[in-house]
Amino acid sequence: MIDATILVADDDQSIRTVVSQALARAGYDVKATDNAATLWSWIQDGYGDLAITDVVLPDQNGLDLIPRIRKLRPTLRVIVMSAQNTLMTAVRATERGAFEYLPKPFDIRELVSVVGRGLTESSASATAEGNANNGDENLPLIGRSAAMQEIYRTLARLMATDLSVVVTGESGTGKELIARALHDYGKRKNRPFVAINMAAIPRDLIESELFGHERGAFTGADSRSPGRFEQAEGGTLFLDEIGDMPIEAQTRLLRVLQQGEYLPVGGRAPVKANVRIVAATHRDLRALIRQGLFREDLFYRLNVVPIRVPPLRERTEDIPDLVVHLLAKAEREGLPRKSIEEAAVARLVAARWPGNVRELENLIRRLAALYSEETITVGIVEAELSERYEDSMGQFGESAVADESIGGSVERHLRAYFDAHIEKLPPPGLYARVLREIEKPLIELSLTATNGNQLRAAKMLGLNRNTLRKKITELDVGVSRARRSARRREIRNTEDE
């Protein structure tokens, strides 16, 4: 028997029994109750070396007990467990000073492990008690899957810190929502949240955008302009698509992170930087480091805490909650109120979502706007999904297997396309549509590889030059874009040398 007593409060008899038996087998003495009053009485009398409480108890919210416990017995660790598996539950548990938050259902072995840590680790400094109310929650993140629960727990631990975070995930997974949650529920929430997309800024304007410029710093700089660091002073700066940041700008950013100050373009006096950095990317930064396209030292400065946002296909159990949330959101934005059949939701769960939550949201908006029916039926969903596959067919998504052949990838997309039509056949002209989708990226990439030289591209492809020109016109191939891509590649190669 371990010389430690664990206090357990949960109004569910089966959970109390399972938890008590598991802790007893681990060697602990256990006292269990179904209400907050008894738990508080034991703590007042000095019983217990660690307490475990559910959030919903018949006589009191378990979270409201934590500040009282911390005031009376500051060293007593409290573990919170709850079936209300939302971000706010995790945040509130952490704000009130809980040692750990465990969403139900949880692995009983994990609970025993957490209890062991709670008894052995030194007491951490008290977390400031939160003042969040218990009203309706306008949750920034939706989902009760295991993957989302882990994200909630990580976010809750980060709220009271200024640690830099890198959020990774495919396009459309909600990386900016993670950054906003860190800001809106953190200690900088009363200061600005400033977002900047590094992929959308011209290469020669990035430094001015980030650090601002003084009057006369360059041609056209008729007045002083604050940069995003200055705009975000005291708050959070969200650097989206950090993987697309040019090397020279990465060097300037690294210097800011190292020295805590920056120099505006054309400025002479450095300015102190007081911002929390949250970066995001859909690219593999470690692969970019190996290619010489991303600084390794900057990566380690930014990637203090990595958070991976799972694609929607890895958390399909969250789709029903997302659908309800997105329909309500559409209604708040002025679109007609809609309900949805259970069979229609099941069809959405079974669909592929290469565009992730953003694609699902766009579909829900379209369903709310374009259909007069008050209830969205499975037939309506089938029609929209079929149209969606016709529009997106042939595009190679990020979910493709890395070592998959081109033929295998095309077959996978075509199979999904045919499956979307159920017992119907696709519209006529399928052969031409498939060839068009493959030809265009092939020609664009060939022109990029040959620096826009059509004669060399035609020779490489095995086409007559006039045939290539005709296809460029028919397919609306961006020749100038191919040349710009080739030029950027030449610049990177020169820099690497």
Side-chain angles (χ1 to χ4, degrees), residues 327-402:
L327 283 173
K329 181 181 178 183
E331 182 182 353
R332 290 195 300 270
E333 294 172 351
L335 291 174
R337 182 176 186 177
K338 302 288 183 182
S339 60
I340 185 167
E341 286 183 347
E342 186 175 336
V345 174
R347 182 65 185 91
L348 292 173
V349 171
R352 292 179 62 255
W353 298 101
N356 295 298
V357 179
R358 184 185 295 126
E359 184 182 5
L360 176 62
E361 181 174 12
N362 289 341
L363 177 64
I364 294 298
R365 288 173 183 271
R366 191 156 65 249
L367 293 172
L370 299 184
Y371 291 87
S372 59
E373 295 89 337
E374 292 184 1
T375 300
I376 298 170
T377 65
V378 67
I380 292 174
V381 170
E382 288 285 7
E384 283 296 324
L385 290 178
S386 175
E387 181 67 25
R388 180 192 67 161
Y389 277 112
E390 289 175 16
D391 291 341
S392 64
M393 184 192 59
Q395 297 177 2
F396 300 147
E398 293 171 323
S399 62
V401 179

Side-chain angles (χ1 to χ4, degrees), residues 206-423:
I206 285 183
E207 288 194 22
S208 176
E209 283 285 334
L210 285 176
F211 310 118
H213 63 258
E214 300 295 338
R215 180 180 179 182
F218 48 83
T219 303
D222 299 327
S223 61
R224 180 184 180 277
S225 177
R228 301 304 175 92
F229 268 89
E230 183 175 342
Q231 294 171 1
E233 175 66 22
T236 301
L237 180 60
F238 176 54
L239 303 176
D240 198 9
E241 299 303 346
I242 190 72
D244 293 291
M245 191 178 199
I247 284 286
E248 60 270 20
Q250 293 177 29
T251 303
R252 289 288 306 274
L253 177 60
L254 176 63
R255 191 173 300 126
V256 176
L257 297 178
Q258 289 175 332
Q259 300 175 359
E261 59 184 25
Y262 61 92
L263 191 67
V265 178
R268 296 183 177 180
V271 180
K272 289 289 185 183
N274 176 24
V275 298
R276 181 188 196 163
I277 299 292
V278 180
T281 182
H282 72 279
R283 306 181 68 182
D284 184 343
L285 292 183
R286 294 184 186 275
L288 293 180
I289 291 172
R290 290 192 296 270
Q291 298 168 24
L293 301 177
F294 201 85
R295 293 187 60 123
E296 187 173 16
D297 44 5
L298 176 59
F299 172 78
Y300 288 115
R301 280 279 180 178
L302 291 172
N303 199 49
V304 178
V305 180
I307 296 179
R308 176 184 177 268
V309 187
L312 193 53
R313 63 181 176 275
E314 292 183 10
R315 57 182 190 107
T316 54
E317 62 267 46
D318 290 335
I319 290 178
D321 286 341
L322 283 166
V323 169
V324 172
H325 169 76
L326 294 172
L327 283 173
K329 181 181 178 183
E331 182 182 353
R332 290 195 300 270
E333 294 172 351
L335 291 174
R337 182 176 186 177
K338 302 288 183 182
S339 60
I340 185 167
E341 286 183 347
E342 186 175 336
V345 174
R347 182 65 185 91
L348 292 173
V349 171
R352 292 179 62 255
W353 298 101
N356 295 298
V357 179
R358 184 185 295 126
E359 184 182 5
L360 176 62
E361 181 174 12
N362 289 341
L363 177 64
I364 294 298
R365 288 173 183 271
R366 191 156 65 249
L367 293 172
L370 299 184
Y371 291 87
S372 59
E373 295 89 337
E374 292 184 1
T375 300
I376 298 170
T377 65
V378 67
I380 292 174
V381 170
E382 288 285 7
E384 283 296 324
L385 290 178
S386 175
E387 181 67 25
R388 180 192 67 161
Y389 277 112
E390 289 175 16
D391 291 341
S392 64
M393 184 192 59
Q395 297 177 2
F396 300 147
E398 293 171 323
S399 62
V401 179
D403 59 355
E404 188 177 35
S405 67
I406 294 177
S409 179
V410 172
E411 181 183 355
R412 178 167 51 81
H413 283 271
L414 287 176
R415 191 180 300 280
Y417 176 69
F418 278 100
D419 289 345
H421 288 81
I422 311 300
E423 298 178 355

Side-chain angles (χ1 to χ4, degrees), residues 170-211:
E170 296 177 6
S171 296
T173 50
K175 297 186 289 294
E176 184 169 347
L177 292 179
I178 299 289
R180 286 191 175 275
L182 279 169
H183 175 80
D184 293 343
Y185 299 97
K187 63 182 184 180
R188 293 178 179 263
K189 61 186 176 184
N190 295 321
R191 302 299 297 166
F193 175 91
V194 177
I196 179 170
N197 188 328
M198 306 309 300
I201 305 173
R203 189 185 189 93
D204 54 351
L205 295 181
I206 285 183
E207 288 194 22
S208 176
E209 283 285 334
L210 285 176
F211 310 118

